[in-house]
Amino acid sequence: MKPRTVDKIATGIIMAVAGFIILLLAGFLSYIIIRGFGHISFDFLTSPPQTFREGGGIGPQLFNSLFLLVLTMIITIPLGLGAGIYMSEYAKPGRLTDFIRLTVEVLSSFPSIVVGLFGLLVFVNVFEFGFSLFSGALALTVFNLPLMVRITEQGLRSVPREQKEASLALGISKWKTITSVMLPMAVPVILTGTILASGRVFGEAAALLFTAGMSSPRLDFTNWNPLDPTSPLNPFRPAETLAVHIWKINSEGVAPDAREIAAGASAVLVMTVLSFNLIARWLGRMVYRKFTSSR
Amino acid sequence: MARSVEREKRSKHLVEEWVGRVYTLICVGLLVLTIFSMVYFVASKGLSTFFRDGVNPIDLFTGVKWAPESEPPLFGALPFIVGSFSTSILAALIAAPLGFCAAVFIVELMPKFGRKVLQPVIELLAGIPSVVYGFVGLSVIVPFFRDIFPGQGLGLAAGGVVLSIMILPTITTIATDALAALPSGLKEGSYALGSTRWQTIYRIVLPTTLPALLTGIVLGIARAFGEALAVQMVIGNAPHIPRSLFESASTLTSAITLSMGNTIMGTAHNNALWTLALILLTMTFVFVFIVRWLERRSKV
Amino acid sequence: MQDVGLKAKNLSVFYGEKQAVKDISLDFNARQVTALIGPSGCGKSTFLRSLNRMNDLIPGAKITGEVWIGDQNILSPRTDVVLLRQKIGMVWQRPNPFHKSIYENIAFGPRYHGIRDKKKLDEIVEQSLRKAALWEETKDRLHKSALALSGGQQQRLCIARSIAVRPDIILMDEPASALDPVSTAKIEELIAELKQEYCIIIVTHNMHQAARVSDRTAFFLMGELVEFDQTDKMFTNPANQQTSDYISGRFG
C-alpha cells in the first residue's frame, strides 16, 4: 500500500476513535444525569432513606458527605500546608528529601481500600474512635494528604523568587516571609487544587466503608449539640455518606425503588463533583487573567 | 536599655523561625510516620496468616480454592490474584490504544477542538467517583453483556471495561503531555524528508515517547489494580478462576470489600483478608518503582 | 547618622565547582556611591548578593573570605542574617513590589520590626515616599495596588520600601536597566540625593551611568577585580589596559 493511503486510513481511524470517545463520554455523563434527574426533588434530597418501602431519600447521607468533607479539610489543610511548606522551603536537596518524596509518592498511590483498612485498624480499633465521622475524616486525610502537599509545593514554587528575596532583604524572617508574602501569592494555585481535591474526597467510598461505617443513626436535625449522640454535628457517630449509600443500595438494597434511588444519588454526586471541577477551572482562569493583565 | 530592646527583638524572630521550622517538621514527620505505620500494621496483620495460623505461603499463592469457613479452611488466593491482574491488564489493553489515539487527536490532528473540548471532558472523567462507575457498569454494561454473551454479564469483561473508562484519563493526560513536549524540530525533520503524518507518528513520535506512554499505562494499571468498589459491583464475586471473560470472578479488592465487615478481627479468615491487603500494598511499591524506572529512562 | 561602611576581604564565591568571584578585597565608604562595572557574567552581581548573604538562598553556593561592617564579620555563621539584612537594603533589576497596596509595601518592614503605632507608621510611609520622590504621585492612592504603578514608579517604590526599615547600606543591582530614559534619570537623581545618608553600592553595565552617579568605580572581569579607583580618574585615565578597552567600548 502507498504511504499516502496508509496515512489516510490511520487518520481516519484516529478520528473515528476520538469521535467514539467523545460519544462515549457524552453518553456516560448524560446517562447518569438524565437517568437520575427525574428522581431528584426537594423531598428526595431532604428525607431519610427507607429500608423496605418506596420513597426513601438521601437527606442524612448528603449531610454526612458535606460534614465529613468539612471535617476532613479542617484536618488536612493545616497538615498539608505545613508539609508542603517544608518540602518547598526547608528541605535541603539530599538523600533524606529524596526519601520523603518517595514516601509521599507511595502514599498517594496506595489503594483507597487499603487506606480504609488502615483506618479500621488504627483509628477505629487502636484509638477507639469507633465507626465514626472522625475516623472517616482521619482516613480521608491520609488519602488526601499527599495531594495537598503536592498542591502546596506547586503553589509556593509559582511565587517569583524576587518576591521572596525582597521580603528577606527587608530583614523579615523566613517564616514571616513564607506566611505573609509567599502564601498569599500562592493562594490561587492552592485554592484551585484544594477544590479539586475536595471533589475527590466527596466521592470517595472505599476508604470509608470500614471507618465512617455503613449506617447512620436516626438524626435529630433540631438538635445542634455536638456532644449528643443523635445530633448531626456529633463527630463521634457513625455516618454513611452518599457514595457509600450508592454502593450499599446497589449491592444489597431491598427497597423496591433501589435502582431509582441509586440513579438519583449518583446524579447528585456527579453534579456536585462536576460543579467543584467547574468552580476550580473558572477560578483558575480568573486568577490567570488577573495575573497576566497586571503583569 | 537600647541593648535589651535589641535583644528582645532578636529573640522574637528567632522564636518565630523556630516555630515555623518545628511546625513544618512535625507535619512532614506525621506524613512519614503514617506511611511507616501503615506498612507495619498491614504487614504484621497480613503476615500472621503464615506465622500464627500456619498457612503455607506456597499454598496461599498457588491454591485455587478459597474456603475459609470449611473444615479444614482453605486459603488459596490465586483466583483473586488472577482476577486482579486480568481485569487491570484487560483495562489497560482497552484504554491504552484509545488514550494514544485521543492524545494524537489532541496534539496533532485538531489541537483547537481537542484542547478545548476533548481534553477537559476526559479530565472531568478522572473526578467521577468510582461508585458511579460501578453503578453505570451495573445498569448498562452488565445487561448489555448479558444480552449478547452467554452468562449473567457479570465477570472479568465487565470489570475490565469499567476500569478501562476509569483509567482512560490517566493514560490520555500523560500521553498528551509526552506528545506535546516533543521538540518540534524532530517532527519537522521527518516531514521535510517527505514522510506522511502517520509515518512520522509511527517512526519518530511513537518510539521517542514510548517510555512516557508506558509510564501512563503502568499508572493506569496501578489505579485499576487498587480500585475496589466499581469492580466489586460488576465482577460477580465468585471465588474461583473463571473459564471465560463473562463468568463471575473476584479480585483482591473485591474479596476484601465483601468479607472484611463480616469476619471477626484476629480469626484466621480475617487475617487472610489482611494478607490480600498486604499483596495489594506490595504491588503498589512494585508499580511505584516501575514508574520511577520508566521516568528515569524517559529523561535520558 | 554614623559612618557605616563595608569592607570585603578576600571574598570568593563558588557555585559548585565554578568560582564566580575570585578573592576580591574592596572597601566601601559611607555617604558615597560605589559602582561595580564589568561585562555580564563577570561576577559583579554575585559579589553584590554576597554582601547581604542573599546568595545563601542558592543551593550549592559557597562563600569564603570576610565582610566587615564595623567590628562584625557578616559572613560568620554566628551572624543573624535577619538583623543583618535590616541594615542592608536591596533593590533589584526588575521592580518587584509586593502584591499589596502602596502603603502596605512600605509599612510591611517597619511593622515587622516592631512599630505598631498607626501614626508612626503613617509618618514612616510618608517620609520614605518623599525620600524616594514618589509622595506627590501616590499620596492620593496609598491604599491602591502597587502593581498599578508604572515601571519607574514601582522601582522608586522599591527604593522607598528598602529605606523604610532604616538601613545603613543600600545595594542596587542594575536598578535602571529595565526602565525608560526618563525613569532612569529620576532614579539617578534619587541616588545622588540618597548618598548624603547612605553607603550605596550599585551594579551597572551602563558606563555612562557609572560615570554620572558614582564616586568610585570597581571594574570586574571574569570574577576578578581589575581596577578600583576614583570614578573621575578611572574614566579619564585608567591604569589598566583592559579597563581602558572596556570603558571605550571595545568589548563587553
Side-chain angles (χ1 to χ4, degrees), chain B residues 121-296:
Chain B
V121 175
I122 291 183
E123 280 167 15
L124 276 189
L125 270 193
I128 305 256
S130 60
V131 285
V132 174
Y133 282 102
F135 167 69
V136 174
L138 201 55
S139 43
V140 179
I141 295 167
V142 170
F144 178 71
F145 281 169
R146 183 165 30 200
D147 288 346
I148 55 172
F149 297 107
Q152 284 299 304
L154 299 162
L156 294 180
V161 170
V162 168
L163 286 174
S164 72
I165 305 172
M166 293 183 75
I167 65 173
L168 187 60
T170 313
I171 294 181
T172 310
T173 308
I174 291 175
T176 308
D177 290 348
L179 291 189
L182 220 53
S184 60
L186 211 59
K187 278 181 290 187
E188 275 154 20
S190 166
Y191 286 134
L193 291 174
S195 305
T196 62
R197 178 156 55 201
W198 176 246
Q199 282 173 325
T200 307
I201 291 171
Y202 186 73
R203 290 191 196 146
I204 310 284
V205 175
L206 198 57
T208 32
T209 54
L210 195 63
L213 298 179
L214 286 176
T215 306
I217 294 171
V218 174
L219 283 173
I221 293 179
R223 184 170 175 204
F225 201 86
E227 175 51 44
L229 302 189
V231 182
Q232 188 271 333
M233 284 158 89
V234 299
I235 202 163
N237 301 307
H240 54 68
I241 299 176
R243 273 157 296 165
S244 98
L245 289 177
F246 302 96
E247 204 174 286
S248 181
S250 276
T251 64
L252 293 166
T253 51
S254 73
I256 296 171
T257 312
L258 214 61
S259 310
M260 188 55 90
N262 311 326
T263 54
I264 299 154
M265 278 272 181
T267 59
H269 185 181
N270 189 273
N271 286 343
L273 294 174
W274 284 95
T275 310
L276 302 185
L278 182 60
I279 298 174
L280 278 175
L281 205 66
T282 317
M283 282 311 295
T284 308
F285 280 99
V286 173
F287 288 130
V288 167
F289 283 110
I290 295 178
V291 166
R292 289 217 149 194
W293 180 73
L294 284 170
E295 273 171 352
R296 263 207 304 281

Side-chain angles (χ1 to χ4, degrees), chain B residues 9-10 12-14 16-17, chain C residues 80 82-83 86 112-113 116:
Chain B
K9 224 167 82 186
R10 197 189 177 94
K12 181 198 136 201
H13 78 251
L14 289 180
E16 195 176 80
E17 297 286 44
Chain C
D80 185 329
V82 171
L83 294 182
Q86 195 197 333
Y112 179 76
H113 295 301
R116 303 268 157 191

